[in-house]
Amino acid sequence: MRGKTAEDLNLLELLDPVAEVAGYAIVRLRLMGGEHARRLQIMAERPSDGDMNVEDCARLSRAISEIMDAADPIAGEYTLEVSSPGVDRPLTRLEDFETYEGHLARIELDRLAEGRKRFKGVLAGVDEGQVAFDIEGEEDTALIPFSWISEAKLVLTDRLMKRGAEVRAARLQSESQQQTSD
């Protein structure tokens, strides 16, 4: 889910180590567009707190640009976009479903399950490679194999917004304390 196409997956293989060395994790990578005016969209975060500010985006963009210029893995011209996954972020790794346990999400499967592909509900954790999900209108918690999930995204709620504000406040406090001690 971090990449959709074979080309996306090859780029992830090239760029994951670059992001890791720079102190970031790639959440999602998409190479979009046709032969002309392609766009390489990378959503990333700091593994330590899941945050990504403008300076982080610029730093990671420079690191990725160096490797992309040297390796030249994309034929033709493209635009590189590095961004935060945002508050209502995509869930692309199994660990994301654990991190955001208790939050409302939408999940789309690559196959039918109980006659449908799309579900909305509350994330209830992870159990042996399966996502536990309290589907709206259902009594029991569903266990969905992670490999069946083609798309997943958090739904913007007051609780999620509060969590985002708390993460930013903690980061700002940490940065302020570092500046004071320097």
Side-chain angles (χ1 to χ4, degrees), residues 13-162:
E13 197 172 304
L14 173 70
L15 299 176
D16 269 338
V18 175
E20 189 176 315
V21 166
Y24 305 100
I26 296 175
V27 173
R28 189 177 83 181
L29 179 148
R30 296 285 190 268
L31 183 59
M32 299 176 274
E35 289 181 35
H36 306 289
R38 296 181 91 186
R39 184 169 41 127
L40 177 59
Q41 181 188 69
I42 297 173
M43 291 182 181
E45 66 185 5
R46 289 191 306 255
S48 60
D49 60 9
D51 202 15
M52 189 77 170
N53 62 32
V54 174
E55 292 82 20
D56 292 320
C57 290
R59 190 175 306 118
L60 182 56
S61 180
R62 284 190 295 273
I64 286 173
S65 291
E66 272 186 40
I67 297 302
M68 294 294 289
D69 290 346
D72 198 24
I74 300 173
E77 292 185 24
Y78 66 93
T79 302
L80 173 63
E81 293 178 3
V82 176
S83 68
S84 159
V87 176
D88 56 341
R89 59 177 293 136
L91 304 166
T92 61
R93 304 161 297 187
L94 194 55
E95 67 203 46
D96 294 338
F97 293 89
E98 203 162 38
T99 300
Y100 292 94
E101 182 175 346
H103 289 280
L104 190 62
R106 293 182 192 278
I107 293 178
E108 184 171 333
L109 306 181
D110 65 359
R111 64 196 73 197
L112 288 176
E114 298 190 20
R116 58 192 238 208
K117 285 185 166 191
R118 292 180 186 88
F119 300 88
K120 182 178 177 182
V122 176
L123 298 173
V126 173
D127 184 21
E128 296 181 14
Q130 297 188 89
V131 174
F133 198 57
D134 292 328
I135 299 168
E136 282 186 350
E138 301 286 327
E139 258 185 63
D140 297 328
T141 298
L143 288 177
I144 302 170
F146 178 69
S147 61
W148 290 12
I149 299 173
S150 60
E151 294 281 335
K153 184 176 181 176
L154 291 174
V155 174
L156 196 57
T157 62
D158 288 343
R159 182 169 181 238
L160 186 60
M161 296 279 287
K162 181 179 180 192

Side-chain angles (χ1 to χ4, degrees), residues 158-182:
D158 288 343
R159 182 169 181 238
L160 186 60
M161 296 279 287
K162 181 179 180 192
R163 182 188 189 281
E166 289 168 352
V167 167
R168 281 187 296 285
R171 175 182 47 86
L172 292 172
Q173 183 177 3
S174 173
E175 288 173 0
S176 175
Q177 289 172 349
Q178 284 178 342
Q179 289 174 354
T180 305
S181 65
D182 287 347

